[in-house]
Amino acid sequence: MANVIPPRSGTAFTLARGQRLTVIDPCGEQVADLVAFRADDIDEVISSGRTIDYASRIFLTTGDPLYSNRSNVLLEIVEDTVGRHDFLLTPCSADTFRIIYGDKEPHRGCFGNLAHALKPYGIPPDRIPVAFNVFMNVEVDGSSGAIAVRPPLSRAGDRIVFEAKLDLIIGLTACSALQSNNHAFKPIHYEISS
Amino acid sequence: MANVIPPRSGTAFTLARGQRLTVIDPCGEQVADLVAFRADDIDEVISSGRTIDYASRIFLTTGDPLYSNRSNVLLEIVEDTVGRHDFLLTPCSADTFRIIYGDKEPHRGCFGNLAHALKPYGIPPDRIPVAFNVFMNVEVDGSSGAIAVRPPLSRAGDRIVFEAKLDLIIGLTACSALQSNNHAFKPIHYEISS
């Protein structure tokens, strides 16, 4: 039975070393921002910069490890039915909605949802890094450097599976930004298995 | 008179709001990793994810602001004679040299140099973010996502100028990684003007 993250919300939970986290897009074209911290030392956190450098690739999929700021592997992608995710952008926030969308009373976004969910674990908002944005489809023009947020390639039932390589605290959202999910807010499902 | 950062080393200094920092490549084809923290609250730091999201571009140049994790502008690029820099990768480190180059007794890299230089300012190594890698030429294949570190486009005397939008602590290096600077370790020069 899958856990449900309602539209425009987020959650946090522990994931023990060796456990697997399956993130499912139940409706299609929805994004889930994922962050991971070492459970016994929250100063260690996933790092887009380390991971992309070691992979020599900005797009990650099955077999790719997600490294921490200390160059340890926190998670490995062990299954992926979509093959396109983003690891360049920070979670959408009230500032994102103000700056990019021009919202006057902006939603707190994935950033606010993650900050709220991670607070009981003692993780302050300033520690939230560039997220691994599951199913997020960011096109990059290698010539100009321009990026464009496109609808996810995920269809209903698509999934990605991560295996924890250390005991972790995970933050996970059903994304709150219109561009990311083709202008419809939807839930995200997840399962944890040992 | 320019300050000199010797090959494979780094430094840190304060940059007051309104002051300009000029980073000069004296020999050509050399990289300087730059990080910036808010001087009166080091939990605020430059953010590649926020900056790329707001710019909708991974390559930044004259006129582009560098945002913090709190979506404030810390620096603005006000002059740039090269036009190609990287904001995807973390500073090279002992782990970089171990994992990518296979070194048995690795150099501490820009990461170790920044950690050492930032220590007197109370900034611990875990706080060092994805750097703005001045003059670093990282090609991105928008189709496969593959990245490749190419020789910098900078020639002797090329420069980039940043204006501080808040009081900052800056970390700056002459990069220690062979790939980044076309396999020759060289110095970096910098000047601060009000």
Side-chain angles (χ1 to χ4, degrees):
Chain A
M1 191 62 185
N3 302 285
V4 176
I5 306 177
R8 296 194 110 183
S9 73
T11 187
F13 48 85
T14 58
L15 189 70
R17 180 179 175 173
Q19 282 190 316
R20 291 183 171 202
L21 167 66
T22 302
V23 181
I24 304 153
D25 183 348
C27 309
E29 296 189 337
Q30 175 59 316
V31 164
D33 288 10
L34 180 148
V35 294
F37 299 82
R38 186 171 180 146
D40 62 3
D41 185 352
I42 59 166
D43 281 330
E44 184 162 5
V45 57
I46 54 164
S47 166
S48 63
R50 294 266 166 246
T51 302
I52 290 170
D53 201 4
Y54 300 150
S56 288
R57 219 174 336 104
I58 59 171
F59 300 137
L60 304 173
T61 185
T62 307
D64 282 323
L66 304 189
Y67 283 89
S68 74
N69 54 338
R70 296 181 194 162
S71 295
N72 295 311
V73 178
L74 298 191
L75 292 162
E76 185 181 323
I77 303 172
V78 293
E79 187 188 335
D80 177 11
T81 66
V82 176
R84 178 55 68 93
H85 317 279
D86 170 70
F87 207 6
L88 299 181
L89 303 179
T90 29
C92 61
S93 68
D95 293 306
T96 313
F97 294 122
R98 179 176 56 77
I99 294 173
I100 297 185
Y101 294 86
D103 291 356
K104 291 281 192 289
E105 293 182 17
H107 189 272
R108 67 181 181 178
C110 286
F111 183 84
N113 288 330
L114 287 168
H116 182 77
L118 292 167
K119 193 174 180 184
Y121 296 93
I123 298 169
D126 286 329
R127 290 291 101 76
I128 295 173
V130 169
F132 186 78
N133 300 303
V134 173
F135 309 134
M136 189 173 187
N137 182 12
V138 177
E139 283 183 3
V140 178
D141 182 321
S143 172
S144 68
I147 64 168
V149 179
R150 302 296 185 198
L153 303 181
S154 51
R155 298 183 179 189
D158 270 326
R159 65 190 54 216
I160 184 171
V161 184
F162 303 91
E163 184 173 303
K165 297 298 180 182
L166 292 170
D167 291 345
L168 301 174
I169 299 158
I170 301 287
L172 190 68
T173 72
C175 184
S176 307
L178 284 165
Q179 280 184 358
S180 303
N181 49 39
N182 206 12
H183 301 269
F185 301 125
K186 286 157 284 191
I188 283 289
H189 291 181
Y190 71 96
E191 296 170 350
I192 297 172
S193 60
S194 53
Chain B
M1 189 66 185
N3 302 284
V4 176
I5 306 177
R8 298 193 108 182
S9 73
T11 189
F13 47 86
T14 58
L15 189 71
R17 180 179 176 173
Q19 281 191 316
R20 291 184 170 203
L21 167 66
T22 302
V23 181
I24 303 152
D25 183 348
C27 309
E29 296 190 335
Q30 176 60 319
V31 165
D33 288 11
L34 180 148
V35 295
F37 300 81
R38 188 172 179 145
D40 62 2
D41 185 353
I42 59 166
D43 281 330
E44 184 162 5
V45 56
I46 54 163
S47 167
S48 61
R50 294 266 166 246
T51 302
I52 291 171
D53 201 5
Y54 300 150
S56 289
R57 217 171 342 100
I58 58 171
F59 301 136
L60 305 173
T61 186
T62 306
D64 283 321
L66 304 190
Y67 283 90
S68 75
N69 55 336
R70 297 181 193 162
S71 295
N72 295 311
V73 177
L74 298 191
L75 291 162
E76 185 180 323
I77 303 172
V78 293
E79 186 187 336
D80 177 11
T81 66
V82 177
R84 177 56 67 91
H85 316 279
D86 170 71
F87 208 4
L88 300 181
L89 303 180
T90 29
C92 60
S93 68
D95 294 306
T96 313
F97 294 124
R98 182 177 54 79
I99 294 173
I100 296 185
Y101 293 87
D103 292 356
K104 291 281 190 291
E105 293 181 17
H107 189 272
R108 66 181 182 180
C110 286
F111 183 84
N113 288 331
L114 287 168
H116 181 78
L118 292 166
K119 192 174 180 184
Y121 296 93
I123 298 169
D126 285 329
R127 291 291 101 77
I128 295 173
V130 170
F132 186 77
N133 300 303
V134 172
F135 308 133
M136 190 174 186
N137 182 12
V138 177
E139 283 183 5
V140 179
D141 181 321
S143 173
S144 69
I147 65 167
V149 179
R150 302 296 186 198
L153 302 181
S154 51
R155 297 182 180 190
D158 269 327
R159 64 189 56 215
I160 184 170
V161 184
F162 303 90
E163 184 173 302
K165 296 299 179 180
L166 293 169
D167 291 344
L168 301 174
I169 298 159
I170 300 287
L172 190 67
T173 72
C175 184
S176 306
L178 284 166
Q179 279 185 359
S180 303
N181 50 38
N182 206 13
H183 301 270
F185 302 123
K186 284 157 285 190
I188 283 289
H189 291 182
Y190 71 96
E191 296 170 351
I192 297 172
S193 59
S194 53

